[in-house]
Amino acid sequence: MTGGETHVSSSSTDKPIDISSPYFLSSTGHPCLNIVGDNLLSDGNYNDWVNEMTNALHAKNKFVFVDGSLLKPKDGSKDFMNWKRCNAMVRGWLVSSMEKRFQE
């Protein structure tokens, strides 16, 4: 493993999560991390912000949490807690990249 990345174990199987999985999280990430350059300030920078956020989420293999192509697993399934953890991380990244007036 390089670049500060660690394999997070799945709570139900204790097997490492493959780095190509949307459930993989790097040890360097946290929910308050701003993953884009400029915060969403107003309608004036919305298109630039969307492009940057889309690119960042694709790079982190997390866009599937935003576009709905990765469905929420059923409660109690083997991927449920992994999905909840990653979804919370993505939500944190989105909120952290917006000015406070957009968060209300």
Side-chain angles (χ1 to χ4, degrees):
M1 288 179 271
T2 61
E5 295 173 343
T6 59
H7 290 278
V8 178
S9 293
S10 168
S11 58
S12 61
T13 63
D14 290 330
K15 293 182 182 177
I17 297 174
D18 186 276
I19 193 168
S20 65
S21 169
Y23 297 130
F24 178 82
L25 291 171
S26 170
S27 62
T28 60
H30 57 84
C32 296
L33 181 68
N34 183 347
I35 63 172
V36 296
D38 294 323
N39 282 358
L40 177 61
L41 301 172
S42 65
D43 290 341
N45 76 334
Y46 177 77
N47 289 331
D48 291 337
W49 180 87
V50 167
N51 288 333
E52 287 184 42
M53 182 58 73
T54 299
N55 189 48
L57 291 172
H58 276 297
K60 293 180 172 292
N61 199 20
K62 300 296 181 275
F63 193 74
V64 294
F65 290 90
V66 176
D67 72 0
S69 62
L70 180 64
L71 299 177
K72 181 179 180 181
K74 293 190 185 291
D75 193 4
S77 73
K78 70 178 186 79
D79 286 327
F80 181 69
M81 290 307 295
N82 291 327
W83 185 93
K84 279 184 70 169
R85 187 182 69 247
C86 290
N87 188 64
M89 184 73 76
V90 170
R91 290 176 63 191
W93 291 336
L94 291 168
V95 169
S96 293
S97 69
M98 298 177 193
E99 287 296 308
K100 295 217 182 284
R101 63 185 170 165
F102 289 109
Q103 297 175 23
E104 298 172 350

